[in-house]
Amino acid sequence: MTVVTVFHLVGFQIPENIKFLIFFLFLMIYCVTICGNLLIITLVSYSKTLHSPMYFFLAQLAMSDMLLSTDVLPNTLHTVLAGNTIIVSFTDCFTQFYFFAATETVESLFLTVMSYDRYLAICKPLHYPLLMNHRLCWTMIATCWTLSFVTQSLHTFSVSRLHFCGNVIDHFFCDLDPILHLSCSDTTIVQLETTALSAVFAVIPFIVIIVSYVYIIITIFQIPSITGRQKVFSTCSSHLTVVFIFYGTIVCIYLVPKRVQSWNVTKLVSLLYTVVTPLLNPMIYSLRNKDLKNVVGKSVRMFLNLDVSRHQNVQMT
């Protein structure tokens, strides 16, 4: 049996006349994604007004978004520039799959932790400082990162042990389904592992998020004033928007029957959660969160004032 040592990533079938346009579009998306998420991490780290559990978890989500985008987009840029098909080694392909699976898992867990944080803040405000303390925050974050990377390393090892009869992956990155399509081994065990991991790290977290927001909505409706309701809901509206985008795309790609999808449709939907979601997350939180907007505005004003002061000092000298 021939041992597969390289894979051919097909990527997108892009006409030659718009190849460079698509390349610069993806490059711009990557740069904006990195800068946007890095800005959130920087603001949360250095602004005292953002030193709270909600923004601590947001900074962790931004880190996972940067990791996901860096895992997928550079290869995508390569496929676009190289004429839609590139050759990647066996090790590189499974390394990319490992980091993709781990970051998707950790994002799901982070969104769950953030929903629990919002539940405590809104439904149990008097006990919130005691329950959501510094130690618990770090414990939950460390658990999310560790669980995600350890479990996905075991899963990736299982997939990599399969025998492959082909090496052409009709996708723009090394995802599980295109890889399994090339296997000539019995994939029953791998499929069972995938189902179990999906249940533990996607279905159960989604249920926890839904239950949390049911309690949150009930609590919000118990607030007598409309202004009070709007103020409380605004603290979790950004997170709820991100949850809908994240799980909505996952449902589209993994729960819609495969016979209904073509590989082109799969690629386009995959773009949503690998490229678009990491780009939108910082924008959603920045535009819909008053605290972040205030800190950004304050930072811009300080920079402009500093620049004006320097200019005046130069003129005086």
Side-chain angles (χ1 to χ4, degrees), residues 15-71:
E16 190 69 24
N17 58 337
I18 63 169
K19 181 175 72 174
F20 288 102
L21 176 63
I22 300 300
F23 173 81
F24 284 112
L25 176 62
F26 280 147
L27 181 61
M28 186 181 298
I29 289 174
Y30 180 57
C31 292
V32 173
T33 300
I34 297 299
C35 291
N37 285 291
L38 194 59
L39 176 63
I40 286 181
I41 295 171
T42 304
L43 291 176
V44 171
S45 299
Y46 290 100
S47 176
K48 293 182 179 179
T49 59
L50 301 180
H51 287 178
S52 66
M54 180 174 70
Y55 295 109
F56 173 67
F57 297 140
L58 176 58
Q60 297 295 319
L61 182 67
M63 287 178 61
S64 66
D65 280 334
M66 288 175 61
L67 184 58
L68 175 60
S69 185
T70 301
D71 181 53

Side-chain angles (χ1 to χ4, degrees), residues 58 99 107 143 179 189 212 245 292 304:
L58 176 58
F99 280 101
E107 288 212 11
T143 302
I179 291 175
I189 300 298
S212 298
I245 294 174
L292 273 175
L304 293 176

Side-chain angles (χ1 to χ4, degrees), residues 49-50 52-58 61 111 113-125 128 212-213 215-217 219-221 223 226-243 284-294:
T49 59
L50 301 180
S52 66
M54 180 174 70
Y55 295 109
F56 173 67
F57 297 140
L58 176 58
L61 182 67
L111 291 174
V113 168
M114 293 170 77
S115 70
Y116 177 66
D117 171 70
R118 291 299 83 205
Y119 162 75
L120 291 179
I122 295 171
C123 300
K124 299 180 182 296
Y128 178 74
S212 298
Y213 272 100
Y215 281 104
I216 288 171
I217 291 171
T219 303
I220 289 174
F221 276 110
I223 299 173
I226 296 177
T227 304
R229 293 177 190 173
Q230 292 175 343
K231 185 178 180 180
V232 172
F233 184 74
S234 66
T235 63
C236 56
S237 60
S238 299
H239 174 256
L240 196 56
T241 304
V242 171
V243 167
I284 292 170
Y285 276 102
S286 299
L287 294 175
R288 298 179 65 89
N289 189 287
K290 291 182 179 179
D291 291 336
L292 273 175
K293 285 193 290 186
N294 290 337

